[in-house]
């Protein structure tokens, strides 16, 4: 057996569900980049899949039309999802080529950069309100995830969509439960139930809006039209699902992971305190260093492909590791160093190609405002416990902390 084969055999023992890996995957990804950059592994479902760890390979795969996010093979899995999964399946993350271009073109008419920038003032108000509540506590401590990073984006996205205030707690609970299922790459009974409640609620809300349009994003999506083309009912469900679930989760973890990186690197935190204008490059470095998504959503090979010295068969599942690609020393000098003044930062934390995250501008804006407001109000904020005692959310897709205890 060759040395290369030995290395591949050793790396095949990687357990992506292991708690040690979940808490700190970067040493393992470093070994994979060196020894087995296109690595075959076993999913909890019993299926085999590939994971790509080098930046150059990742960027290529994300733009390669031979690897698609929705295919005939997607439905061949045992227990392929909950009853309501089909209703939300035609979303921007899972459709390809012309279908994707059509949906993106329609959605962008309602989800414009100008509309997102108009939210700046309201996001600042929400940040301020949440921090004022926290600062009234007798104990000068909090769980930064539960009390700040989690509620802020769910309030923002619910207000954008026109979800009544009294229903926002439901959305928060459903979002968390559904993502736990998605993050473990297979739906469980609990996330199935949350999905059913979520879709039933959307049906009621969309029906009301069709009868009485308001100044909100759901009404805009109902009204959007181009050359006689409109969004179908199923597409409406799917798009709102992606905006709430994926958009919300991205921002929670951008804020949480970002604050952990700053608190673990007090010199960088001080740089940002001294020069608040560094917040934009800081958000980019947070996204690169420990971004909100660990791997891409699944791709399927539409034909046999020779890639990275491996034979990938038609129908094989494949993931791109954003966390690994964004620490590739071939692309980023000193990749394990957190540096908010990094000059060249072409990370792929929000994807690349046609499936580049539509909500990235909103996540960036919320991250900038939330972190800036927090440091301004609590400049002496510190970790309550060491990172080694913190728990990260299990699963492969989302990279985020269960909680982040801090004192201020």
């Amino acid at each position: 057996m060759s040395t290369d084969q030995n290395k591949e055999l050793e790396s095949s023992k990687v357990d992506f569900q292991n708690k040690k890996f979940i808490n700190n995957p970067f040493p393992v990804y470093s070994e994979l980049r060196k020894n087995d950059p296109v690595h075959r592994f076993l999913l909890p479902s019993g299926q085999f899949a590939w994971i790509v760890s080098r930046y150059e390979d990742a960027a290529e795969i994300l733009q390669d039309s031979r690897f698609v996010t929705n295919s005939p093979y997607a439905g061949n899995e045992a227990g392929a999802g909950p009853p309501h999964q089909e209703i939300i399946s035609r979303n921007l993350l899972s459709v390809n080529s012309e279908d994707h271009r059509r949906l993106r073109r329609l959605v962008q008419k309602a989800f414009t950069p100008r509309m997102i920038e108009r939210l700046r003032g309201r996001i600042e108000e929400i940040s301020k309100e949440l921090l004022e509540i926290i600062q009234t506590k007798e104990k000068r401590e909090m769980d930064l995830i539960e009390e700040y990073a989690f509620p802020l984006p769910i309030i923002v996205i619910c207000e954008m969509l026109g979800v009544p205030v009294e229903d926002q707690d439901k959305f928060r609970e459903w979002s968390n439960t559904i993502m736990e299922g998605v993050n473990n790459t297979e739906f469980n009974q609990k996330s199935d139930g949350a999905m059913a409640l979520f879709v039933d609620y959307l049906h009621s809300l969309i029906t009301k809006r069709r009868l009485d349009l308001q100044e909100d994003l759901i009404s805009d999506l109902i009204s959007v039209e181009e050359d006689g083309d409109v969004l179908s009912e199923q597409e409406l469900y799917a798009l709102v699902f992606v905006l709430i679930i994926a958009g919300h989760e991205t921002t929670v973890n951008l804020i949480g992971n970002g604050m952990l990186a700053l608190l673990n690197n007090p010199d960088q935190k001080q740089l940002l305190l001294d020069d608040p204008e560094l917040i934009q490059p800081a958000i980019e470095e947070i996204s690169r260093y420990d971004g909100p998504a660990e791997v891409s959503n699944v791709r399927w090979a539409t034909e046999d492909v020779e890639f990275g010295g491996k034979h990938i068969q038609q129908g094989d599942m494949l993931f791109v590791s954003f966390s690994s690609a964004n620490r590739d020393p071939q692309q980023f000098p000193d990749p394990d160093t957190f540096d908010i003044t990094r000059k060249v930062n072409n990370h792929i934390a929000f994807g690349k190609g046609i499936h580049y995250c539509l909500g990235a501008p909103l996540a960036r804006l919320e991250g900038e405002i939330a972190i800036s407001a927090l440091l301004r109000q609590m400049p002496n904020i510190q970790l309550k416990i060491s990172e080694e005692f913190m728990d990260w959310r299990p699963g492969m897709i989302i990279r985020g902390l269960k909680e982040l205890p801090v004192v201020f």
Side-chain angles (χ1 to χ4, degrees), residues 53-108:
S53 54
R54 288 180 182 167
Y55 181 94
E56 189 175 340
D57 291 342
E60 185 177 341
I61 289 286
L62 292 171
Q63 299 175 95
D64 191 329
S65 61
R66 295 174 298 176
F67 297 97
V68 298
T69 57
N70 195 11
S71 81
Y73 312 104
N76 292 342
E77 305 158 54
H84 286 67
Q85 190 174 2
E86 178 62 26
I87 296 174
I88 53 86
S89 63
R90 280 189 56 77
N91 64 65
L92 284 166
L93 298 178
S94 64
V95 295
N96 300 282
S97 59
E98 188 52 44
D99 273 350
H100 185 276
R101 283 190 287 273
R102 172 184 162 268
L103 284 180
R104 200 172 188 99
R105 189 172 62 244
L106 285 168
V107 174
Q108 281 178 330

Side-chain angles (χ1 to χ4, degrees), residues 1-263:
M1 187 179 286
S2 71
T3 303
D4 286 345
Q5 286 173 317
N6 274 322
K7 286 178 178 177
E8 181 177 341
L9 187 63
E10 289 169 12
S11 67
S12 70
K13 296 176 183 176
V14 174
D15 180 4
F16 292 97
Q17 306 301 317
N18 179 277
K19 186 175 181 180
K20 184 178 178 183
F21 173 85
I22 289 168
N23 286 356
N24 183 15
F26 301 105
V28 173
Y29 282 136
S30 178
E31 289 301 311
L32 285 179
R33 284 195 304 271
K34 293 173 190 171
N35 299 327
D36 196 16
V38 182
H39 171 70
R40 191 167 183 255
F41 70 104
L42 190 65
L43 287 164
S45 63
Q47 291 178 287
F48 278 99
W50 301 90
I51 189 163
V52 175
S53 54
R54 288 180 182 167
Y55 181 94
E56 189 175 340
D57 291 342
E60 185 177 341
I61 289 286
L62 292 171
Q63 299 175 95
D64 191 329
S65 61
R66 295 174 298 176
F67 297 97
V68 298
T69 57
N70 195 11
S71 81
Y73 312 104
N76 292 342
E77 305 158 54
H84 286 67
Q85 190 174 2
E86 178 62 26
I87 296 174
I88 53 86
S89 63
R90 280 189 56 77
N91 64 65
L92 284 166
L93 298 178
S94 64
V95 295
N96 300 282
S97 59
E98 188 52 44
D99 273 350
H100 185 276
R101 283 190 287 273
R102 172 184 162 268
L103 284 180
R104 200 172 188 99
R105 189 172 62 244
L106 285 168
V107 174
Q108 281 178 330
K109 291 175 74 71
F111 202 73
T112 63
R114 183 183 297 179
M115 183 205 76
I116 290 169
E117 184 56 35
R118 283 205 307 265
L119 293 169
R120 180 179 291 275
R122 180 59 185 136
I123 297 170
E124 288 173 345
E125 285 178 7
I126 295 168
S127 298
K128 182 181 176 184
E129 289 165 6
L130 289 171
L131 290 172
E132 284 176 351
I133 292 169
I134 292 163
Q135 288 178 307
T136 61
K137 296 167 64 171
E138 280 188 36
K139 280 192 173 183
R140 312 304 281 173
E141 60 183 53
M142 67 164 160
D143 173 3
L144 196 147
I145 303 297
E146 174 69 21
E147 298 177 62
Y148 190 61
F150 203 98
L152 189 151
I154 203 73
I155 293 170
V156 172
I157 198 70
C158 283
E159 287 188 359
M160 283 176 65
L161 290 164
V163 175
V165 173
E166 61 269 21
D167 293 337
Q168 289 179 9
D169 282 346
K170 295 178 190 174
F171 270 70
R172 177 174 173 170
E173 184 180 340
W174 294 335
S175 167
N176 206 30
T177 304
I178 292 167
M179 276 313 301
E180 288 302 326
V182 172
N183 201 28
N184 285 285
T185 67
E186 54 185 7
F187 283 89
N188 54 39
Q189 190 171 4
K190 192 175 180 184
S191 62
D192 181 354
M195 179 75 79
L197 291 169
F198 176 85
V199 172
D200 287 345
Y201 181 88
L202 281 185
H203 173 74
S204 173
L205 186 60
I206 289 170
T207 299
K208 289 177 185 175
R209 286 295 182 274
R210 285 194 184 282
L211 296 172
D212 183 20
L213 295 176
Q214 304 288 319
E215 291 186 6
D216 56 46
L217 187 54
I218 285 184
S219 298
D220 290 344
L221 290 170
I222 289 170
S223 305
V224 75
E225 182 178 358
E226 185 167 297
D227 298 328
D229 188 15
V230 297
L231 293 168
S232 70
E233 191 84 2
Q234 182 182 347
E235 288 166 346
L236 266 173
Y237 287 130
L239 287 166
V240 174
F241 169 79
V242 167
L243 288 171
I244 291 178
I245 306 301
H248 169 243
E249 287 291 334
T250 298
T251 308
V252 172
N253 298 320
L254 184 65
I255 297 168
N257 297 3
M259 284 306 303
L260 178 63
L262 287 164
L263 295 174

